[in-house]
Amino acid sequence: KSLKNTKESIAMKWPMYDTENHPLKTFYGFNFAKSIKDFEEATAHLLVPGLNVVYADVTGNIAYFPCGVIPIRNFLSDRILDGESGKFEWGSYITGSQRPKSINPPSGFIYTANHKHYGNVPYKIQGYWQPFDRSSRLQKLLTQKSIYTFEDMQKIVLDDTFDGANFLTSGLFKVLEKNTQLTESEKM
């Protein structure tokens, strides 16, 4: 249905237009943070866009902080909904220290591939996440040894192995082999 000539009301909500969204203050805070605490405090000023931010300092601290608010919705969808009934109003936001984070994890490393980093939180986090195939591949590569050279990291960044496709390849190769054995008339 086109909205061009409609007389129906349309309501949209995006935290980008919230008066509390201060992306420049966030990035200023990142650049001038004197500690991991300062850096984490700077993340609180960014409501959107949602970002995965990693931190490292000269004392050896590492951290992962998600930037952006997590809306608490009174419904299970993040799609276009009926805005007239009032049934789909947003609740409050999960912000700042309530958001999941990882500081100096026992693994000794942090990685992000736009995947969902957390599952053990007391609230539902909706949104768009990349499948786990890239993140599981990164975890596999980063747990193979304890010290990595520049060249090792370069190989990891450029790695294009898709572990999730292994189950497809045997069937795909059988189909391809069968098709290459067809006669010319069968191929047409």
Side-chain angles (χ1 to χ4, degrees), residues 128-181:
Y128 303 102
W129 308 98
Q130 292 300 315
F132 283 96
D133 52 339
R134 180 66 185 150
S135 62
S136 61
R137 177 70 180 162
L138 284 171
Q139 184 176 22
K140 181 178 177 180
L141 294 171
L142 292 169
T143 55
Q144 290 179 345
K145 51 186 178 173
S146 59
I147 297 177
Y148 291 84
T149 65
F150 176 81
E151 289 77 17
D152 293 331
M153 294 307 294
Q154 192 172 32
K155 285 179 187 173
I156 290 171
V157 168
L158 297 175
D159 178 78
D160 62 358
T161 302
F162 179 41
D163 291 335
N166 290 339
F167 73 96
L168 293 173
T169 54
S170 63
L172 182 60
F173 286 137
K174 286 177 187 172
V175 170
L176 290 173
E177 287 170 4
K178 181 181 176 191
N179 286 337
T180 58
Q181 296 169 1

Side-chain angles (χ1 to χ4, degrees), residues 43-58:
T43 67
H45 305 295
L46 185 67
L47 303 186
V48 290
L51 299 173
N52 293 321
V53 180
V54 293
Y55 169 91
D57 64 28
V58 295

Side-chain angles (χ1 to χ4, degrees), residues 56-73:
D57 64 28
V58 295
T59 61
N61 291 307
I62 59 172
Y64 157 79
F65 301 105
C67 281
V69 294
I70 301 167
I72 298 173
R73 297 181 175 126

